[in-house]
Each structure stands twice: as structure tokens, then as C-alpha cells.
């Protein structure tokens, strides 16, 4: 096959600005993640079976997060700065894994360089930014695709709309956020929880 020099030049003309644009977009997302030190929001979480649960999200960097589910749902997810805890009060079961090893690690660590493991996903809408974070060397950490809306009033000019988390077993969870509020004071006490394995125990 003959490759014409003009065709190569045209391809480079198209490709290089796109790469620069992606780098600029990742830099803007990085700026948002570093600027948003705290966040509260209402969330709607949908699992792969289509079941949706709602609740309140509280986040404080580095490493702290709380998913407080709606009344009547005996589940709680809490990140205390180093560990992410999944508590099922209905069966008194507690699971733990390091925050950095979870798909949510990208949201909770403002110091990491996301350009090493994230890429821009085209959305077809200039007002919507989507990036996919995935470490090919650590597939067990899962994959997180975050969606942002451009908003000049939000940290870094971006408003986090939600994300899709895919774990190493291909379990997909979609989270949509509303009523987002950034950088208001959040007490560390918001990330304490009652341990169902010990009567009256708290962490």
C-alpha cells in the first residue's frame, strides 16, 4: 500500500491537537480533584441488576468518604483515611480493603498524577468531560469512569456528575450525584461508624 506524504501530514495535523486537548482535559480534571477538598451530595446508586439505592455522600480528602444509604437499607460504606470499610448490618459482616486499592482511590487521593493511568473518553458534548481511570498493572483495583459537567463556579471549572465503577469481577455500579456542594467544613467524626461485630463498638 502506498502512503502519500500529504495524507500522513493531514493525519498528524488531526492527531496532535487532539492529544494536546486530551492532556489539557486531564490537567483540568486533576485541578478539580485537587481543588475539591470536601464534597457532599445526594447519590443514586444502580447495580448491574438495575436495583437503585439512594443516600448521602460525604467526602473529605485525603481518603475519607461515607456513603450513608437511605433509611431501611442496612448497608454503609466508609473510608477512614487508610481503609475502605463495607458494613452490612443485616448479617453483621464487615469487609475491608485499602483505599488506594479501590476504584474510588482516584477520588480520594488529591496528590496522585492521574495522567499516568487515566484517559479521556469522547462524549460528543463539549460541555461534558469523561475520563476512565485504570491501572493495567493492577487490574484487581478495577476501573472507574468519571463524568463531569463544565461549570465555572465549581472547583477547577468542573462539576462531578457521577461515575461508573467496574470491579475485577466485572460487577458494574453506576453512581449519579445531585446537589453537590464543595469545600464546606466536614468533621472527621462523620467517618466514624458502629461496628456490628462488637456491641456498642465504634471505629
Amino acid at each position: 500500500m502506498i502512503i502519500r506524504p500529504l495524507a500522513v501530514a493531514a493525519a498528524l495535523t488531526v492527531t496532535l491537537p487532539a492529544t494536546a486537548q486530551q492532556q489539557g482535559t486531564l490537567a483540568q480534571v486533576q485541578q478539580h480533584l485537587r481543588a475539591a477538598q470536601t464534597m457532599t451530595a445526594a447519590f443514586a446508586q444502580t447495580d448491574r441488576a438495575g436495583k437503585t439505592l439512594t443516600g448521602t455522600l460525604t467526602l473529605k480528602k485525603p481518603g475519607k468518604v461515607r456513603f450513608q444509604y437511605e433509611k431501611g437499607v442496612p448497608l454503609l460504606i466508609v473510608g477512614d483515611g487508610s481503609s475502605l470499610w463495607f458494613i452490612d448490618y443485616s448479617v453483621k459482616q464487615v469487609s475491608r480493603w485499602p483505599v488506594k486499592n479501590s476504584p474510588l482511590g482516584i477520588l480520594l487521593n488529591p496528590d496522585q498524577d492521574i495522567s499516568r493511568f487515566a484517559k479521556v473518553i469522547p462524549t460528543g458534548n463539549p460541555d461534558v468531560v469523561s475520563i476512565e481511570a485504570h491501572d493495567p498493572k493492577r487490574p484487581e483495583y478495577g476501573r472507574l469512569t468519571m463524568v463531569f459537567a463544565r461549570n465555572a463556579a465549581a472547583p477547577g471549572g468542573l462539576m462531578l456528575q457521577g461515575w461508573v465503577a467496574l470491579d475485577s469481577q466485572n460487577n458494574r455500579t453506576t453512581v449519579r450525584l445531585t446537589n453537590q456542594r464543595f469545600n464546606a467544613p466536614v468533621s472527621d467524626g462523620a467517618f466514624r461508624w458502629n461496628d456490628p461485630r462488637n456491641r456498642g463498638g465504634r471505629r
Side-chain angles (χ1 to χ4, degrees), residues 8-150:
V8 173
L12 289 175
T13 301
V14 172
T15 302
L16 292 179
T19 301
Q21 184 179 15
Q22 289 181 359
Q23 291 173 344
T25 299
L26 285 176
Q28 187 178 13
V29 171
Q30 182 88 72
Q31 182 182 359
H32 166 86
L33 293 173
R34 288 176 176 169
Q37 289 298 304
T38 69
M39 181 179 71
T40 59
F43 73 84
Q45 172 188 302
T46 304
D47 63 19
R48 64 176 181 175
K51 182 180 179 180
T52 298
L53 299 174
T54 62
T56 303
L57 166 68
T58 305
L59 181 151
K60 183 178 182 179
K61 299 175 184 176
K64 296 182 176 69
V65 68
R66 184 185 187 97
F67 290 86
Q68 183 69 55
Y69 289 89
E70 61 195 278
K71 186 176 181 180
V73 177
L75 304 176
L76 179 66
I77 298 176
V78 179
D80 60 11
S82 59
S83 298
L84 196 63
W85 302 87
F86 180 88
I87 306 102
D88 186 338
Y89 288 101
S90 66
V91 294
K92 298 183 179 181
Q93 182 177 353
V94 177
S95 302
R96 170 190 172 274
W97 59 95
V99 167
K100 65 180 181 179
N101 293 4
S102 76
L104 291 177
I106 187 174
L107 288 174
L108 301 177
N109 181 2
D111 296 325
Q112 61 184 336
D113 179 7
I114 67 170
S115 65
R116 296 185 299 104
F117 53 85
K119 65 180 180 180
V120 177
I121 305 297
T123 65
N125 184 339
D127 294 326
V128 177
V129 171
S130 180
I131 70 163
E132 180 185 84
H134 169 61
D135 186 347
K137 296 180 181 179
R138 299 287 188 271
E140 68 273 17
Y141 293 1
R143 188 184 303 262
L144 192 75
T145 302
M146 297 185 292
V147 179
F148 302 84
R150 296 192 185 278

Side-chain angles (χ1 to χ4, degrees), residues 66 76 78 80 89 188-194 202-203:
R66 184 185 187 97
L76 179 66
V78 179
D80 60 11
Y89 288 101
D188 287 342
F191 308 100
R192 296 183 64 83
W193 50 279
N194 293 321
R202 282 182 63 82
R203 287 185 174 270

